[in-house]
Amino acid sequence: MADELAQTLQQILGTDNEVRKVAEKRYSDARAQNPGPTVAALFQVLSEPQRPDGVREQAAVLLRQCMGKLREEGSTWSKLGEQAHGECKAKLLQLIEGETVPKVRRLVAAVVQGLGNQLIDIEQNARPTNIDIWPEMMPTLMRIIMDGSKDAGLRADALWTVKEMLNDADSNAIIMDGSKDAGLRADALWTVKEMMTCMWQVMVANGQQTMMVLKTCLGDAAVGVRCSAAGLFCEMIDNLEDKAERDAFTPLIQDFCLALEAIASTGSQEQINSVLQAMEGTNNSVEFFKDRLASDLMPRLSTIATSHAQADTRRLALEVLISFAEAKPKTMAKVPGYVELILDVCVRFLMELDDDLDNWGDQDDDEAEDEEQYTAGKEVVDRLCRCMNKAEQFPKVLDKLKPVLATFLQSQDWKQAVAGITIISQIAEYVDEEVMVVQMVNGVQAFLKAAHPRIRHAAWMALAQLSEDHDEYVTSETVAPQLLPLFLAGLDDPHSRVVTRCMEAFQLYGQEVEREILEPFVQPMMEKLGVKLQSGKTAVQQQTITYIAVLAGQVEDSFAVYYAALMPILKQIIQAVLQKPEERTLLGKAFECVSLLAKAIGTAGFRADAEIIMQAMVQAVQTPNQASNDPVKEYMMQASSRICWTMKADFLPFVPHILPGILEKFQLAPKELNEQTRKNLDGDDNGELSMTLVQGTDGEVKVLVMSTSEMEDLQNAIECVHTFVEELGKLYVPFVAQTAQALLPVFDFSMAEHIRDLAFETWGELCKVAREGSQPDVLSQLVQEFLKRVVPKLEEATGNGIDLEALKTQADGISACLKAAGPGILTAQQLQHIGELCLNAMDVSTKREEVEAQKKKDDDEGADDDDDETDEAAFQIACCEVIGALMRHHQDIFVATFLPRCMPIVQQLVQPSMPESKRKIAIFFACDMLQHLETRITAQWPQFLPQVIADIVNPSTDIRQPACYAVALAAKNPAFAQFAMETSQTLMKVVTDARARAKKKSERPAQAVADNALSAIAEILLHHQPTVAAIEAQLWSVWLQALPCQEDEEEGKKNHGVLLKMVQAEKREIVGEGGANLPQAFSVLIDVYKSDMAEEETSKGIGQLVVKVGESALEQLAQQLKEKQKKKLLRIHREAQQAS
């Protein structure tokens, strides 16, 4: 049968497709119908060296497939029987030792590794000296590895096999046999390495032998053996969780470093790259190497990163260096010279730029050849800053960069200038000091007019980043008038790539500039953009349309003057490219721009064009044979959302036509990764893929994959429907059932929790629509269906290995659904059941936290890895929110049945001796009780309120903010009078201290606390004026001077609404004697008008107030306003008059 099989394999390898298909079927049938003889024939073909190497290689590949999926019912392995299993294992070890062709031998080693990884299952805490299920494997491999006479490739492959199984077993004989060929020994090492994850326990149990093997092989004359040994060493260290077991191998660090140096200088690129990949930093490896990093490892990695002949090897060395910091940032920050060394490498990479300016200028940014070293250097600077910032070590990085920046930003060398500007881009997010921000902006601003186009290009990129990270400063009234003329000039830059980067920067910058500052520049910008829009060049038109869309979105109705001229051009572009597959991005951007124009002109102005545009959008997405990542889909859904927001009820006739196509996207789901999926993915240009692991009902772990473009489609579709439901309200009732049915599959979407969370939010909005649309039966069905599907998930929130993020999403979903559903939807039994589930889940979560804390107790670097703690705390808060939702609409049932269960928990957790995370939960509980149970909870105040009041001056903002919020809620109750005077005095200090702080990103939490404290002061003044009469004027003064609110939008809406009412009522403490305080009050109201800090009704009231005051009084007020506020005041007056 071997000859027949060899002929079949030869045909499979052939170029004749028809012959190959017949041969593949013949082999497949033989494997299915006669598995034993087929496997025997594969072994025979492999063992006959006279056969062509290609045929033998194919036999090894097919043999590995036969040895795969052992546990699946009907697998080839399961059909062979116990006797054949033993024969297969023995033949594999004979083949790996006897094979002389390196490529064939490595493929055989891969069969050994794959089979071993599936067979071997050693308990985590067990330390067996050999592998019971395959006792011959490790002795054979180790003998090969230690046999110096063996071929180096064989020894390396043996080492590789052990390494790859070090997560499962043991292999000892070939490796130690010095008489064996070095290739054979290397292959044996490779085999051991590849099995490391399944058999590291055996390596530990044979510690002395393992030490001897590694020491010998790390110093072997054959570089292939050293390479496999180095990989095995790294793999083993990563798998040893016990510090004492790791430390036993520290004597080998010097041997490893010498091997690394030798492999880098004399080994092949593939060999050094494989070692560097194995060296990627983990918690275990950083802890293991930390005392020898500065002296032994870092200098060698630095040499490779800066001097190796191969660029990708240099990048890998840099990747190893940054991976150490990402694994243990606090540890690495203490390593002498680490920060300086990695930054030095990054700076070198940043200056590896193409000198051919013409070639650079001829390329578009999107399609330009990547300058890989520059990109790597840029990304590593950002990654270093991110992880060090998380560990509160960013100032150390900044101190090392300041001298570099000072030199490079004054350099005449364009490459140094670009490197310096790029560093500013990468560190901008983490810089907190306003002085440094000012220096960075000034430096970048100067470079926008530099002579060299690459410097200008880099400067625009940096400005875009600064616009994202420090928008308040770069778009301020003092800086924006300096930058906007540069944007205007940038549109005429002689280099197209610089123009593109300028326009892209404006997309970020323009969205943050206040309307009154931007408006004077709109007309000159539009004059230039109009020319570009009609250029006929697709790329230019795309950029121009996006630029126009930003202007339209920012200046809103004042952009309406351009509608008549622009809309015909946009409709012309849409019709011209509607059927052109290569112009899909331009088409999508045109739809986006149209929707923003619609928003600018309003429903009445857009109505005449609405039907044509909506028909075009429907036609565009129904065009057949479009790519799965077709950009039109995203733009269409976002444009539909915007048009719905603009037209409100007038949008309803379009819903039946576009909703079915959007709901179809809800069916997008990940697929299990198997052979068919791989083939489909290989042939589909879907861009990036996302993967996740899930455990099936049978206990088997499956890999699910989904293209990022499909995930984005799903998210965009849900967001679009969410907007329809929210904006149309009860008018959406006819589509509720259809939408709910389509949403159900997304409940099980496990690839991205933010998508599932959005689906739950949308379901909550459907409940709200049913309630407001007087559909009690539909509402009940929606709620009960949701609870039936999601509540049982909380019952699974026990033990370890659970998906905390998914559980949090499900808890958030229950909260959203119950809040939207309204009163009378739950029975007392349901309320108690859900409440108990949440309390039990929180209790189990706390126990998991305690177990993890105990594990880290002996590790002084444990704080480097606190994500699990954060996840547990977030889940506990989500459960707390569910209990708050139970209170919200079922107050009497809650008080009667579940309050006695909650109060002892609140009383316990609120105590100062409890951890901060627990006290935060207690205050959240208190806030919900004060808000929803109101006077029903007054009798329980002594158990928690005094401590909550004391916490408004807690050192932690995470405690202060909810404490101030709780006080604002309690102050509405007449019983709070006893606390009013003392509390209000403390609140004044909280506010004045916060507002006196420097303007830093790091101070934003303190300002959010102050915003909540202002709400508490206002509630005390409104409900307890007699009690605080002696300091009433002082309280109002502090309150007014601290406005507007700065961070907390909800508190801003409350306080600014109160301010409007006080001014309307002409309250003396607010308006002042003779209206002395009116400029201050109007300044606040003008600033918050039509912002996120004001309700729509508040903005409407501000307009009415402005008209009521009269032009004469406004002119007097305007004299004390900033220029920007004067312009906005005129707009408020104009809009209010139009509205009336």
Side-chain angles (χ1 to χ4, degrees):
M1 187 176 177
D3 291 337
E4 182 181 344
L5 178 62
Q7 184 180 4
T8 298
L9 298 182
Q10 190 73 59
Q11 291 170 345
I12 290 174
L13 294 169
T15 57
D16 188 320
N17 289 337
E18 293 303 319
V19 172
R20 184 170 66 250
K21 287 179 182 178
V22 172
E24 286 173 346
K25 186 177 187 309
R26 184 163 61 249
Y27 167 76
S28 181
D29 291 344
R31 176 180 166 182
Q33 297 166 14
N34 300 294
T38 301
V39 169
L42 286 170
F43 271 113
Q44 187 172 345
V45 169
L46 265 172
S47 64
E48 295 173 347
Q50 72 273 17
R51 304 274 186 192
D53 288 349
V55 170
R56 297 172 66 228
E57 290 167 17
Q58 184 66 21
V61 170
L62 295 176
L63 186 61
R64 187 172 189 183
Q65 292 176 3
C66 292
M67 305 288 148
K69 300 180 179 179
L70 304 192
R71 294 178 176 83
E72 285 191 11
E73 186 177 349
S75 68
T76 301
W77 181 261
S78 67
K79 296 176 181 178
L80 294 180
E82 288 299 320
Q83 182 177 346
H85 289 169
E87 293 171 355
C88 287
K89 288 185 266 188
K91 287 177 181 176
L92 283 171
L93 295 178
Q94 293 168 9
L95 281 171
I96 197 173
E97 186 167 9
E99 182 56 56
T100 58
V101 178
K103 192 170 182 180
V104 176
R105 184 177 59 233
R106 177 54 71 97
L107 288 170
V108 173
V111 180
V112 174
Q113 172 258 319
L115 181 60
N117 275 334
Q118 294 176 88
L119 289 174
I120 300 163
D121 186 14
I122 301 174
E123 290 293 329
Q124 179 82 7
N125 296 323
R127 297 294 183 269
T129 57
N130 203 354
I131 302 164
D132 292 340
I133 200 165
W134 196 350
E136 304 84 9
M137 183 189 68
M138 280 301 283
T140 302
L141 290 174
M142 287 301 180
R143 176 171 48 77
I144 294 172
I145 291 168
M146 294 304 293
D147 188 345
S149 67
K150 291 285 188 186
D151 172 75
L154 169 60
R155 296 166 62 210
D157 284 348
L159 271 168
W160 175 88
T161 308
V162 176
K163 186 212 51 137
E164 290 302 304
M165 288 199 300
L166 243 196
N167 297 347
D168 305 294
D170 182 35
S171 34
N172 272 350
I174 306 174
I175 303 172
M176 295 298 289
D177 189 344
S179 66
K180 297 288 187 185
D181 172 77
L184 168 62
R185 295 170 64 208
D187 284 347
L189 274 168
W190 176 87
T191 307
V192 175
K193 174 181 79 75
E194 292 299 305
M195 293 191 290
M196 186 65 72
T197 54
C198 68
M199 65 176 199
W200 57 268
Q201 300 95 327
V202 177
M203 303 291 285
V204 172
N206 295 281
Q208 291 301 316
Q209 183 184 21
T210 302
M211 282 278 288
M212 179 178 65
V213 168
L214 287 170
K215 186 172 183 63
T216 301
C217 294
L218 285 169
D220 199 275
V223 71
V225 173
R226 298 181 94 168
C227 173
S228 291
L232 172 59
F233 179 68
C234 293
E235 198 75 36
M236 188 176 65
I237 296 305
D238 281 347
N239 279 278
L240 297 181
E241 293 295 335
D242 185 88
K243 187 175 185 297
E245 290 179 340
R246 286 197 306 268
D247 288 348
F249 293 93
T250 53
L252 294 177
I253 291 178
Q254 182 66 24
D255 300 271
F256 172 78
C257 290
L258 292 172
L260 174 65
E261 187 175 334
I263 296 164
S265 59
T266 62
S268 68
Q269 183 184 1
E270 181 183 359
Q271 288 170 330
I272 183 58
N273 286 0
S274 70
V275 175
L276 291 171
Q277 288 164 348
M279 288 177 67
E280 183 175 351
T282 63
N283 287 347
N284 289 349
S285 64
V286 174
E287 280 294 302
F288 178 75
F289 283 115
K290 69 179 180 181
D291 293 333
R292 303 286 289 276
L293 281 169
S295 59
D296 294 285
L297 204 54
M298 280 167 31
R300 290 175 170 90
L301 286 170
S302 175
T303 299
I304 297 170
T306 57
S307 306
H308 199 276
Q310 299 299 323
D312 61 339
T313 300
R314 293 172 56 213
R315 291 195 300 275
L316 279 172
L318 179 58
E319 179 62 31
V320 174
L321 285 167
I322 187 58
S323 69
F324 290 165
E326 289 178 327
K328 301 284 278 185
K330 289 185 178 179
T331 298
M332 294 308 299
K334 297 174 186 175
V335 174
Y338 171 74
V339 172
E340 295 92 328
L341 182 145
I342 192 169
L343 288 175
D344 176 66
V345 176
C346 288
V347 168
R348 290 170 183 255
F349 276 40
L350 286 171
M351 289 192 291
E352 294 191 37
L353 299 166
D354 188 358
D355 288 305
D356 188 341
L357 186 58
D358 292 335
N359 179 56
W360 177 84
D362 288 341
Q363 302 177 70
D364 292 330
D365 274 354
D366 292 340
E367 299 174 0
E369 295 178 8
D370 187 23
E371 294 171 308
E372 292 181 304
Q373 304 304 94
Y374 168 83
T375 300
K378 179 175 69 172
E379 291 175 351
V380 169
V381 170
D382 176 66
R383 291 163 63 187
L384 179 68
C385 293
R386 184 184 303 119
C387 65
M388 288 299 176
N389 187 63
K390 182 181 176 183
E392 300 179 346
Q393 297 294 319
F394 174 71
K396 184 172 185 177
V397 178
L398 187 58
D399 285 344
K400 303 302 179 186
L401 282 172
K402 283 180 178 178
V404 177
L405 288 173
T407 300
F408 281 18
L409 296 182
Q410 296 176 28
S411 173
Q412 298 302 308
D413 183 335
W414 72 267
K415 291 184 179 181
Q416 288 192 344
V418 169
I421 297 167
T422 302
I423 290 171
I424 288 177
S425 299
Q426 302 310 99
I427 69 174
E429 178 182 352
Y430 313 101
V431 172
D432 193 36
E433 297 288 342
E434 187 171 344
V435 173
M436 184 68 183
V437 174
V438 172
Q439 291 173 349
M440 292 193 302
V441 173
N442 289 342
V444 169
Q445 182 178 336
F447 283 121
L448 293 174
K449 297 181 287 187
H452 201 289
R454 293 214 58 172
I455 296 178
R456 298 196 302 275
H457 184 269
W460 283 119
M461 283 198 300
L463 184 58
Q465 191 63 51
L466 287 163
S467 301
E468 196 167 13
D469 298 326
H470 298 281
D471 56 284
E472 288 186 11
Y473 177 73
V474 295
T475 61
S476 65
E477 194 172 3
T478 54
V479 178
Q482 300 172 35
L483 292 176
L484 286 169
L486 296 174
F487 276 106
L488 189 60
L491 293 173
D492 295 325
D493 196 283
H495 279 262
S496 59
R497 282 188 74 171
V498 179
V499 175
T500 298
R501 190 58 71 184
C502 165
M503 297 176 80
E504 290 175 349
F506 187 78
Q507 293 175 31
L508 291 169
Y509 185 82
Q511 291 175 17
E512 304 299 333
V513 181
E514 290 198 35
R515 172 175 171 169
E516 278 64 38
I517 299 175
L518 182 59
E519 280 181 330
F521 296 89
V522 174
Q523 183 176 345
M525 285 179 172
M526 284 302 298
E527 290 173 0
K528 296 177 185 292
L529 293 169
V531 175
K532 292 180 180 293
L533 187 60
Q534 299 183 67
S535 68
K537 297 178 180 178
T538 299
V540 175
Q541 287 179 318
Q542 287 179 16
Q543 297 157 9
T544 304
I545 288 174
T546 303
Y547 202 116
I548 291 172
V550 172
L551 290 175
Q554 203 65 10
V555 301
E556 297 180 320
D557 59 336
S558 70
F559 199 79
V561 296
Y562 301 101
Y563 185 91
L566 274 175
M567 185 57 78
I569 298 174
L570 290 169
K571 287 197 292 187
Q572 183 181 356
I573 291 173
I574 289 170
Q575 290 303 318
V577 303
L578 194 57
Q579 302 298 330
K580 294 182 178 180
E582 70 276 14
E583 305 287 13
R584 301 294 285 178
T585 299
L586 176 59
L587 178 61
K589 287 180 178 290
F591 286 141
E592 176 188 44
C593 194
V594 165
S595 67
L596 287 163
L597 279 175
K599 185 178 178 184
I601 200 168
T603 303
F606 181 63
R607 188 176 287 115
D609 295 309
E611 187 169 350
I612 296 172
I613 294 300
M614 295 306 301
Q615 286 176 352
M617 285 200 286
V618 172
Q619 185 179 350
V621 295
Q622 290 178 348
T623 302
N625 303 320
Q626 294 301 321
S628 59
N629 56 353
D630 176 22
V632 169
K633 293 179 292 188
E634 177 183 357
Y635 284 114
M636 186 279 289
M637 284 187 276
Q638 291 177 352
S640 297
S641 299
R642 207 173 282 117
I643 293 171
C644 177
W645 183 91
T646 301
M647 300 185 72
K648 300 292 192 290
D650 289 335
F651 185 77
L652 193 63
F654 302 116
V655 175
H657 303 288
I658 63 174
L659 185 62
I662 297 172
L663 294 182
E664 277 184 14
K665 300 296 180 188
F666 289 12
Q667 298 174 21
L668 292 171
K671 300 176 179 65
E672 183 180 355
L673 185 62
N674 51 36
E675 290 302 320
Q676 186 59 48
T677 312
R678 284 192 178 93
K679 290 179 182 177
N680 294 341
L681 292 173
D682 288 342
D684 188 8
D685 185 16
N686 272 334
E688 296 182 5
L689 292 174
S690 293
M691 289 193 288
T692 189
L693 299 176
V694 295
Q695 190 169 26
T697 54
D698 57 357
E700 288 291 317
V701 175
K702 299 177 181 178
V703 179
L704 299 182
V705 296
M706 190 174 186
S707 71
T708 53
S709 63
E710 286 187 332
M711 289 176 62
E712 288 168 1
D713 281 350
L714 177 58
Q715 179 176 338
N716 291 330
I718 301 173
E719 286 175 346
C720 185
V721 170
H722 188 280
T723 301
F724 292 173
V725 179
E726 192 172 34
E727 295 300 328
L728 295 173
K730 61 185 179 182
L731 297 175
Y732 196 82
V733 164
F735 311 103
V736 166
Q738 177 186 6
T739 305
Q741 190 64 38
L743 263 178
L744 287 175
V746 191
F747 283 19
D748 297 320
F749 188 82
S750 58
M751 294 292 293
E753 288 306 318
H754 68 276
I755 292 178
R756 179 156 42 184
D757 188 50
L758 184 60
F760 289 165
E761 281 185 28
T762 305
W763 192 278
E765 288 295 324
L766 292 176
C767 292
K768 184 178 178 182
V769 165
R771 176 166 55 85
E772 293 178 348
S774 302
Q775 302 288 320
D777 291 340
V778 174
L779 173 61
S780 178
Q781 290 171 12
L782 287 171
V783 174
Q784 299 308 324
E785 180 68 25
F786 186 91
L787 296 179
K788 181 180 74 175
R789 288 174 176 267
V790 179
V791 168
K793 302 293 184 182
L794 285 183
E795 297 172 352
E796 302 169 8
T798 58
N800 298 312
I802 60 170
D803 188 341
L804 276 174
E805 191 179 4
L807 284 171
K808 179 187 178 300
T809 302
Q810 285 143 0
D812 289 340
I814 295 171
S815 298
C817 182
L818 293 178
K819 288 175 183 177
I825 206 72
L826 295 179
T827 65
Q829 185 178 7
Q830 283 180 311
L831 186 148
Q832 282 185 286
H833 176 64
I834 295 171
E836 284 293 344
L837 279 180
C838 290
L839 290 181
N840 290 338
M842 292 169 70
D843 183 54
V844 173
S845 173
T846 298
K847 289 175 180 174
R848 284 195 299 265
E849 281 182 312
E850 292 169 353
V851 170
E852 285 303 312
Q854 188 62 39
K855 286 181 181 178
K856 296 175 181 177
K857 191 173 181 181
D858 299 329
D859 182 4
D860 59 358
E861 297 295 335
D864 269 348
D865 184 20
D866 58 1
D867 286 346
D868 287 343
E869 297 172 21
T870 305
D871 289 345
E872 293 286 6
F875 172 58
Q876 291 164 26
I877 290 171
C879 290
C880 179
E881 291 284 341
V882 174
I883 296 173
L886 296 175
M887 299 180 205
R888 188 185 187 103
H889 297 302
H890 301 80
Q891 299 95 329
D892 293 329
I893 295 177
F894 188 93
V895 170
T897 63
F898 206 62
L899 182 61
R901 180 78 168 86
C902 294
M903 278 311 306
I905 297 172
V906 175
Q907 188 175 14
Q908 177 191 358
L909 297 184
V910 81
Q911 298 305 316
S913 58
M914 296 299 292
E916 181 178 306
S917 61
K918 303 307 171 193
R919 302 195 62 218
K920 187 175 176 181
I921 288 172
I923 299 174
F924 282 4
F925 260 124
C927 290
D928 282 328
M929 291 190 296
L930 291 166
Q931 182 175 6
H932 304 310
L933 305 182
E934 299 173 326
T935 55
R936 300 174 183 83
I937 197 69
T938 306
Q940 280 76 29
W941 276 14
Q943 299 178 49
F944 65 90
L945 190 57
Q947 183 57 54
V948 171
I949 293 173
D951 278 329
I952 62 178
V953 291
N954 189 284
S956 168
T957 56
D958 284 346
I959 297 295
R960 289 206 308 276
Q961 183 170 346
C964 288
Y965 182 76
V967 168
L969 294 169
K972 298 177 182 181
N973 190 323
F976 191 78
Q978 60 182 309
F979 305 107
M981 176 61 82
E982 184 178 352
T983 303
S984 61
Q985 291 173 324
T986 307
L987 288 166
M988 280 197 292
K989 187 174 188 313
V990 170
V991 170
T992 53
D993 286 353
R995 294 300 195 245
R997 293 172 183 257
K999 291 195 72 173
K1000 296 181 183 179
K1001 290 170 71 174
S1002 59
E1003 294 294 351
R1004 288 178 179 176
Q1007 300 305 336
V1009 171
D1011 293 344
N1012 282 262
L1014 288 173
S1015 296
I1017 290 174
E1019 296 295 348
I1020 290 172
L1021 284 164
L1022 293 173
H1023 294 90
H1024 304 282
Q1025 184 273 334
T1027 306
V1028 296
I1031 60 170
E1032 181 183 6
Q1034 184 185 2
L1035 283 168
W1036 279 121
S1037 176
V1038 168
W1039 181 79
L1040 178 60
Q1041 294 303 316
L1043 292 177
C1045 290
Q1046 297 182 15
E1047 295 296 329
D1048 194 318
E1049 291 179 5
E1050 290 306 310
E1051 302 313 301
K1053 291 172 182 176
K1054 295 176 189 175
N1055 283 288
H1056 303 141
V1058 171
L1059 176 62
L1060 174 64
K1061 291 176 182 177
M1062 295 296 103
V1063 175
Q1064 287 172 329
E1066 298 183 6
K1067 185 168 181 63
R1068 181 174 55 82
E1069 288 82 1
I1070 294 298
V1071 301
E1073 291 293 336
N1077 295 339
L1078 279 177
Q1080 168 67 20
F1082 266 84
S1083 174
V1084 174
L1085 294 174
I1086 290 168
D1087 283 345
V1088 303
Y1089 175 78
K1090 287 191 174 179
S1091 74
D1092 293 335
M1093 286 286 184
E1095 298 280 7
E1096 189 175 336
E1097 282 301 309
T1098 300
S1099 292
K1100 183 179 178 181
I1102 293 170
Q1104 294 169 344
L1105 176 65
V1106 166
V1107 171
K1108 182 181 177 182
V1109 167
E1111 293 185 14
S1112 176
L1114 288 178
E1115 288 176 3
Q1116 291 183 342
L1117 281 171
Q1119 294 175 10
Q1120 300 182 56
L1121 298 176
K1122 298 175 182 176
E1123 194 61 35
K1124 176 187 68 173
Q1125 291 172 328
K1126 292 177 184 178
K1127 293 178 181 178
K1128 191 170 183 180
L1129 179 60
L1130 289 174
R1131 172 162 67 92
I1132 295 171
H1133 188 270
R1134 182 181 69 249
E1135 291 176 350
Q1137 284 187 321
Q1138 291 171 350
S1140 62

